[in-house]
């Protein structure tokens, strides 16, 4: 990550959305040592976006009781079913989600697959996304790939992302994420939103 952003990094608030993905109570409970810093960083990011007039969208992976949305063919989904998570949890309250901030419920790792998120963003005139999420190997990887293919201009905020495998986390940001998005530190993201 370079310390200075170039003029191409400027954002138009009305055409930009912040996607906060899988910052939900069940996931925070899985990573208790990392959660406080992630929540503090991401709250600062959300508040800066709100002040700038950038729409904040929350994405939660969620299922109905009994997991009827999970296919027997989906290995990741079967793992979730075995854990018994993501049925009754909610967006982490530390982020201060407002009633007018959309909540997208996804049944797969991607924030886009089967959710109507792309159509909603397009209808709102959004062409630029700032993205934060847990985990880097899950929602971030899936959603960045989709959003890039859908021609959104992407920013990823590394200090608001996490993966339990730090080596893979670093590698993704240095390769796949860097090739599809502008990778920002929290400091850079806050400067962009100032």
């Amino acid at each position: 990550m370079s310390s200075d952003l170039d003029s191409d990094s400027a954002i138009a608030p009305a055409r930009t959305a912040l996607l906060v993905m899988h910052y939900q109570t069940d996931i925070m409970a899985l990573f208790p040592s990392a959660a406080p810093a992630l929540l503090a960083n991401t709250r600062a990011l959300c508040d800066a976006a709100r002040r700038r007039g950038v729409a904040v969208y929350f994405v939660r992976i969620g299922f109905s009781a009994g997991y009827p949305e999970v296919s027997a063919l989906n290995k990741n989904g079967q793992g979730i079913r075995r854990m018994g998570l993501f049925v009754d949890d909610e967006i982490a309250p530390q982020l201060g989600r407002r009633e007018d901030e959309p909540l997208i419920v996804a049944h797969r790792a991607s924030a886009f697959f089967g959710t109507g998120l792309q159509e909603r963003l397009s209808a709102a005139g959004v062409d630029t996304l700032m993205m934060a999420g847990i985990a880097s190997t899950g929602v971030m990887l899936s959603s960045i790939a989709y959003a890039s293919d859908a021609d959104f201009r992407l920013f990823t905020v590394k200090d608001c992302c996490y993966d339990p495998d730090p080596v893979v986390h670093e590698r993704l940001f240095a390769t796949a994420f860097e090739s599809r998005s502008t990778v920002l530190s929290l400091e850079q993201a806050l400067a962009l939103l100032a």
Side-chain angles (χ1 to χ4, degrees):
M1 290 176 290
S2 64
S3 58
D4 297 319
L5 297 172
D6 59 34
S7 59
D8 291 337
S9 296
I11 61 165
R15 296 200 324 265
T16 303
L18 169 61
L19 298 186
V20 180
M21 302 178 292
H22 297 190
Y23 264 81
Q24 57 200 79
T25 52
D26 278 356
I27 289 181
M28 294 291 100
L30 293 173
F31 309 115
S33 62
L38 288 165
L39 288 165
N41 288 349
T42 305
R43 177 61 186 259
L45 183 65
C46 290
D47 287 345
R50 292 166 179 141
R51 285 192 299 271
R52 184 72 192 279
V54 169
V56 181
Y57 287 68
F58 289 90
V59 179
R60 179 178 81 84
I61 189 166
F63 301 94
S64 305
Y67 299 90
E69 304 89 354
V70 175
S71 166
L73 303 176
N74 188 305
K75 186 174 181 178
N76 186 53
Q78 290 301 317
I80 289 171
R81 179 196 291 248
R82 281 192 296 278
M83 288 191 301
L85 300 176
F86 316 134
V87 174
D88 296 318
D89 67 335
E90 61 185 4
I91 296 300
Q94 297 90 330
L95 300 182
R97 178 179 168 255
R98 299 176 180 176
E99 285 188 19
D100 63 340
E101 292 173 337
L103 173 60
I104 308 300
V105 178
H107 303 310
R108 298 294 183 268
S110 171
F112 292 92
F113 184 84
T115 65
L117 177 58
Q118 180 180 357
E119 292 80 4
R120 187 169 184 163
L121 292 168
S122 296
V126 170
D127 61 15
T128 300
L129 301 176
M130 191 172 283
M131 303 174 82
I134 304 168
S136 302
T137 52
V139 68
M140 289 297 291
L141 180 61
S142 296
S143 301
I144 289 168
Y146 185 101
S148 174
D149 285 347
D151 297 329
F152 285 97
R153 183 171 68 132
L154 303 178
F155 295 90
T156 50
V157 186
K158 187 176 181 184
D159 298 325
C160 297
C161 299
Y162 176 78
D163 198 274
D165 186 330
V167 173
V168 175
H169 173 80
E170 291 296 328
R171 192 72 183 138
L172 281 172
F173 271 93
T175 57
F177 297 176
E178 182 68 41
S179 68
R180 293 177 173 91
S181 72
T182 300
V183 175
L184 304 174
S185 65
L186 177 59
E187 180 181 9
Q188 290 172 318
L190 295 178
L192 197 58
L193 292 166

